[in-house]
Amino acid sequence: MLVEGFLLFALFFVAWQFLQLQWARHQLPPGPVPLPILGNLWLLDFALKREPLMKLTSIYGNIYTIWLGTAPVVVLNGCKAVKEGLVTYSEETSGRPLLPLFKDLMGEKGVFMTTGPVWKQQKRFVMLTLRNLGVGKKSLENRIQEEAQNLLKVFTSKKGSPFDPRTALGHAVANIICSFVFGQRFPEEDAHFNKLLKTIHMIVYVPGSVWGRVYDSFPTIMRKFPGPYQQLFEHNEFMHNFIKDKIQSHKERWKEGSKPQDLIDFYLDFIAKSKDDSTSVSREDNMVQTIVDLLIGGAETSTTTLYWGLLYLLKYPDVQEKVHHEIDAILGPSQTITYEDRNRLPYTNAVLHEIVRYRL
């Protein structure tokens, strides 16, 4: 009797969700019929990959809807569709869906998962602060050059032996961001720094996995069951505590009115100046999540792009040879490359742009 009742409830639940999905899909661009719980994940091999998305484009056109579990995603393919969606209708497409897993990880704080006034204030602060810290200026270029030299030392130390460069690339990119946020870089053997990078990687990839999709479909149930997301929550808590410790050390040395040296200093100053403004969102919990967002948004994406760039150069040695020849011919084998040199290195500049274009 109990089994029959459970089966009846399961059948009712599946039927109810199927009808809900069918009603919702008629309000969105066309696309494949979503199944209860899974949506269209089975069509995508449970991952967002280029090949299955292109197959769906040939069936449904350049604008269509797919369902990642119970969450709809509108896919834009081609320059015209992307421009229409992100420029012509920028206000309508500027928000982000706050899925259960991201909500449990981040809440409605920071920049990444917020909208409206909170997002606008945080974004304005971040953009202004990064400019004040040298983004777009010579000082940023110098920091990148320093990390590039450290990265080159790591590569040279391998003495031509095969190795996976992802960790070294991750250290270099993350240290550039850390120098802005914390005012310091970390040695590659630092255990906390390595755990921080592992956490960033998990936050990027676990939500997009089948485990993430199941969690978003049944958050109340899945919170109580073991899975990769439990480890993700533990690492996420570590990262937040790590940042809170850095903020505390800044508080101990920071004085109101003193010249800020990094993003945490600027945010402490921001909080102090906004303490009488009831509309301000400058709070320590927003500062912590904003720092998390900067680390996630910058470290993993840039590292992956560089990783793919090295892979493409290995796959096309003739292109690698031409880049090498152009740099040696124009700059010499030992001169440090600057951003201004891009106009003197047209082939190298074109290769870098093509790597970014193709990777995205």
Side-chain angles (χ1 to χ4, degrees):
M1 188 69 178
L2 183 61
V3 174
E4 291 177 355
F6 175 78
L7 291 175
L8 184 62
F9 171 78
L11 182 62
F12 172 78
F13 175 80
V14 169
W16 172 74
Q17 190 179 76
F18 180 76
L19 291 174
Q20 271 198 324
L21 289 173
Q22 301 320 302
W23 179 82
R25 68 188 291 259
H26 289 303
Q27 304 176 62
L28 295 165
V33 177
L35 297 178
I37 304 173
L38 294 177
N40 301 125
L41 287 171
W42 59 281
L43 280 175
L44 304 171
D45 296 327
F46 293 90
L48 287 176
K49 296 180 180 179
R50 178 183 177 87
E51 291 75 14
L53 289 175
M54 291 306 296
K55 287 181 180 178
L56 291 174
T57 297
S58 65
I59 300 172
Y60 299 102
N62 288 328
I63 302 177
Y64 62 90
T65 305
I66 57 173
W67 292 76
L68 305 182
T70 57
V73 174
V74 176
V75 178
L76 305 177
N77 181 64
C79 181
K80 183 179 179 181
V82 171
K83 182 179 180 181
E84 184 178 358
L86 301 184
V87 179
T88 307
Y89 297 99
S90 58
E91 284 291 323
E92 291 83 350
T93 59
S94 62
R96 291 178 182 270
L98 190 58
L99 299 176
L101 183 52
F102 274 122
K103 185 175 182 180
D104 289 345
L105 287 170
M106 303 178 179
E108 298 182 58
K109 298 183 286 290
V111 180
F112 185 52
M113 297 306 298
T114 55
T115 57
V118 176
W119 174 78
K120 288 182 179 179
Q121 282 194 41
Q122 298 288 106
K123 181 190 175 185
R124 189 182 303 117
F125 163 79
V126 169
M127 297 301 294
L128 179 61
T129 300
L130 290 179
R131 282 198 294 270
N132 288 333
L133 289 171
V135 172
K137 302 177 183 177
K138 192 71 176 179
S139 56
L140 171 61
E141 187 172 326
N142 292 337
R143 296 188 193 191
I144 294 174
Q145 288 170 342
E146 290 173 9
E147 286 302 328
Q149 290 300 319
N150 290 325
L151 184 62
L152 182 60
K153 291 178 182 177
V154 174
F155 283 17
T156 304
S157 70
K158 305 302 179 180
K159 299 179 180 178
S161 300
F163 74 103
D164 188 344
R166 185 176 185 90
T167 300
L169 291 171
H171 285 159
V173 172
N175 263 323
I176 293 170
I177 300 170
C178 287
S179 67
F180 283 103
V181 174
F182 305 124
Q184 69 176 110
R185 70 180 304 279
F186 298 89
E188 62 181 38
E189 66 272 10
D190 188 295
H192 288 91
F193 182 52
N194 283 300
K195 189 172 181 179
L196 184 71
L197 296 185
K198 182 179 179 181
T199 303
I200 293 169
H201 180 80
M202 291 176 68
I203 289 177
V204 171
Y205 288 100
V206 171
S209 69
V210 62
W211 286 104
R213 302 275 65 88
V214 173
Y215 187 99
D216 287 334
S217 299
F218 306 102
T220 304
I221 297 174
M222 300 312 291
R223 286 188 192 106
K224 300 176 182 178
F225 283 86
Y229 38 81
Q230 299 297 351
Q231 185 184 11
L232 174 60
F233 287 135
E234 292 174 6
H235 277 70
N236 187 59
E237 184 178 4
F238 157 79
M239 179 161 62
H240 280 73
N241 289 334
F242 177 87
I243 293 170
K244 288 175 183 177
D245 289 342
K246 295 297 178 184
I247 292 173
Q248 184 58 39
S249 65
H250 277 65
K251 282 182 178 179
E252 292 170 0
R253 66 169 175 76
W254 182 84
K255 294 180 180 179
E256 188 172 344
S258 59
K259 184 178 180 181
Q261 302 297 318
D262 51 46
L263 186 134
I264 293 178
D265 284 346
F266 272 102
Y267 210 111
L268 290 172
D269 188 56
F270 181 37
I271 291 175
K273 291 178 178 178
S274 306
K275 58 186 177 183
D276 297 325
D277 184 0
S278 59
T279 63
S280 175
V281 298
S282 57
R283 304 187 307 269
E284 190 167 318
D285 59 346
N286 263 327
M287 173 170 30
V288 172
Q289 190 56 52
T290 296
I291 293 171
V292 170
D293 293 346
L294 287 172
L295 289 168
I296 294 172
E300 188 68 24
T301 52
S302 300
T303 299
T304 302
T305 301
L306 290 171
Y307 199 51
W308 275 102
L310 291 178
L311 177 64
Y312 292 143
L313 291 175
L314 288 172
K315 183 175 176 60
Y316 300 102
D318 57 321
V319 174
Q320 181 183 158
E321 181 62 31
K322 290 178 182 178
V323 168
H324 196 176
H325 176 75
E326 183 180 65
I327 293 174
D328 279 354
I330 303 299
L331 301 179
S334 59
Q335 182 177 331
T336 301
I337 296 177
T338 67
Y339 186 62
E340 292 178 352
D341 290 327
R342 70 191 187 282
N343 296 323
R344 302 167 59 197
L345 304 167
Y347 185 81
T348 303
N349 192 35
V351 169
L352 294 176
H353 278 79
E354 181 63 9
I355 288 172
V356 174
R357 185 199 70 80
Y358 192 73
R359 175 65 192 101
L360 296 177

